[in-house]
Amino acid sequence: MHDDKPTPTPPRLAFYGLGQYGLEAVRISAERGWPIAAAYNRAGPKVGRDLGELAGLGRPLGVTVEDCEHADFSRAGADIAIVAQTDHLAQNLTAYRRLLSAGMNVVCHASEAYQPWDTDAATATQIDALARQHGVTFTGTGIWDFSRVWSGILMLGAATQIGALHHRTVTDIDTFTPQVAQRYFGLGMTQAAFADLRFDGGLYRLPAIMVLKALGLSIDQTTQSATPVLSDRAVHCHVLDRMLAPGIVLGALIQATTTTREGLTATSHIHIGLLPEGETEHMAWHFEGRPRSAIRVDRADTVHMSSACLVNRVRDVVAAEPGIRTILELGPMRPPQDLPR
Ligand SMILES: NC(=O)c1ccc[n+]([C@@H]2O[C@H](COP(=O)([O-])OP(=O)(O)OC[C@H]3O[C@@H](n4cnc5c(N)ncnc54)[C@H](OP(=O)(O)O)[C@@H]3O)[C@@H](O)[C@H]2O)c1
């Protein structure tokens, strides 16, 4: 049987922030044959280079990386911009303002962007107003969309009784840049320095909050603690490219408990560190209730998966109503229909 569905028009893309995730999204988009209209980065050696060469495609894309301070965004001609810069809405706001004001939808990789109203309501108000004013949509996504948030919601699809929810994850710290691994998870620090680390805003409570919200519940409060991941023998750290002595911090174990006004609780046990031998990255949920079930996503190739979530959400974001639209509003990720065959 022939399926005569017309191939949907590919979206025209812009990229803002060309680090490991931004460039992986460039490679995925280029392979899919989606047109790339513009690329922006802060000043430095990336500016002025051809995007295809910068992304290691081995061929030019005919798109020159522009300095975001001096670019004319109104000339981009893109439907949507993929932003992969910092984790914080307030730090990214200038970028959002430039892109949304030029009539581009925005899909962003900042962890705070998954739930802007919960993470930074003041900045969310500004983003939402800008997006509505210009008739475009802002959405935050990344690997959690598929592996932590929608996996948890799908598990509950067959539930008839729901008690406490439990989320356990293991993430390989070697997938982060050295700066992020050190600053946010204490990699390579002494235990004394780890104790002084200001733990960042409780971003890892977000997946549980989102799953509870999908159940129609109201969040009451969240508590979170972080302890260092340690080893009693020296281990090689790929991301820092050196041996770490016994007792030096290999990452963080973040534990959070979120309660709802309706009395349901979700616990999160998030291990982000050098993986013990034989361990692989995974995200898992189980719940107390009926029928007993659990769901586990095993993952490899984390940078590719997170960037793929950015690209695979593009059509949903372009089609959504103006304003901030979270992945909960967009629904579960669907398989892309236009992969190269
Ligand atoms: N949503 C998720 O599920 C998820 C998962 C993993 C990571 N993340 C987040 O994704 C973000 C990108 O990660 P990455 O590994 O691609 O980082 P990266 O390799 O360091 O790249 C960051 C890019 O943004 C630019 N940049 C960084 N800070 C900036 C600032 N303050 N102002 C303007 N431009 C800035 C960098 O410019 P230069 O080239 O000049 O340095 C670079 O192009 C991080 O915040 C990370 O925590 C999100």
Side-chain angles (χ1 to χ4, degrees), residues 261-330:
R261 291 202 196 109
E262 294 81 359
L264 202 73
T265 298
T267 65
S268 304
H269 179 106
I270 314 274
H271 175 121
I272 299 173
L274 289 188
L275 294 189
E277 228 171 272
E279 182 63 283
T280 52
E281 284 200 313
H282 63 269
M283 330 268 103
W285 282 97
H286 73 276
F287 72 106
E288 296 168 25
R290 199 176 168 203
R292 285 173 67 89
S293 59
I295 194 163
R296 174 172 155 137
V297 176
D298 285 285
R299 66 186 207 195
D301 213 351
T302 297
V303 173
H304 188 77
M305 189 185 278
S306 207
S307 308
C309 289
L310 279 167
V311 176
N312 288 356
R313 272 294 186 195
V314 157
R315 287 190 188 282
D316 292 340
V317 179
V318 170
E321 291 294 312
I324 291 177
R325 299 286 158 221
T326 69
I327 55 168
L328 293 180
E329 293 168 87
L330 299 186

Side-chain angles (χ1 to χ4, degrees), residues 16-23 40-46 68-69 83-88 91-92 95 108-114 140-145 148 175-177 179-180 184-185 203-204 299 302-303 306 310:
Y16 196 122
L18 302 169
Q20 61 169 348
Y21 290 96
L23 288 177
Y40 312 101
N41 204 80
R42 66 180 170 185
K46 294 173 185 170
C68 56
E69 292 302 322
V83 179
Q85 199 177 245
T86 84
D87 252 347
H88 303 291
Q91 264 187 299
N92 296 337
C108 184
H109 200 240
S111 301
E112 284 188 357
Y114 281 105
T141 185
I143 198 163
W144 297 0
D145 190 337
R148 292 183 194 266
T175 63
F176 293 91
T177 59
Q179 296 79 0
V180 170
Y184 294 120
F185 307 112
L203 286 175
Y204 283 87
R299 66 186 207 195
T302 297
V303 173
S306 207
L310 279 167

Side-chain angles (χ1 to χ4, degrees), residues 94-118:
T94 303
Y96 303 151
R97 185 174 292 117
R98 290 169 173 158
L99 297 163
L100 297 168
S101 302
M104 287 181 248
N105 297 282
V106 168
V107 62
C108 184
H109 200 240
S111 301
E112 284 188 357
Y114 281 105
Q115 279 295 97
W117 303 107
D118 288 319

Side-chain angles (χ1 to χ4, degrees), residues 134-295:
H134 296 282
V136 288
T137 305
F138 175 95
T139 298
T141 185
I143 198 163
W144 297 0
D145 190 337
F146 153 71
S147 69
R148 292 183 194 266
V149 178
W150 276 102
S151 60
I153 297 168
L154 293 178
M155 172 191 69
L156 296 166
T160 55
Q161 291 166 11
I162 301 177
L165 309 178
H166 304 288
H167 182 43
R168 285 185 81 87
T169 75
V170 172
T171 299
D172 181 1
I173 204 159
D174 272 343
T175 63
F176 293 91
T177 59
Q179 296 79 0
V180 170
Q182 288 171 306
R183 181 166 164 211
Y184 294 120
F185 307 112
L187 180 65
M189 288 181 177
T190 61
Q191 293 171 52
F194 183 94
D196 288 339
L197 201 65
R198 200 187 118 271
F199 253 85
D200 194 41
L203 286 175
Y204 283 87
R205 70 204 163 104
L206 288 180
I209 288 178
M210 295 176 83
V211 172
L212 290 167
K213 285 193 171 189
L215 288 168
L217 305 174
S218 308
I219 306 305
D220 186 16
Q221 60 171 339
T222 313
T223 56
Q224 180 179 292
S225 65
T227 49
V229 174
L230 303 168
S231 169
D232 54 11
R233 60 183 182 85
V235 284
H236 183 259
C237 173
H238 170 74
V239 70
L240 299 182
D241 195 20
R242 63 182 164 93
M243 291 300 287
L244 299 180
I248 290 295
V249 174
L250 306 182
L253 171 63
I254 301 166
Q255 304 203 71
T257 301
T258 304
T259 53
T260 63
R261 291 202 196 109
E262 294 81 359
L264 202 73
T265 298
T267 65
S268 304
H269 179 106
I270 314 274
H271 175 121
I272 299 173
L274 289 188
L275 294 189
E277 228 171 272
E279 182 63 283
T280 52
E281 284 200 313
H282 63 269
M283 330 268 103
W285 282 97
H286 73 276
F287 72 106
E288 296 168 25
R290 199 176 168 203
R292 285 173 67 89
S293 59
I295 194 163

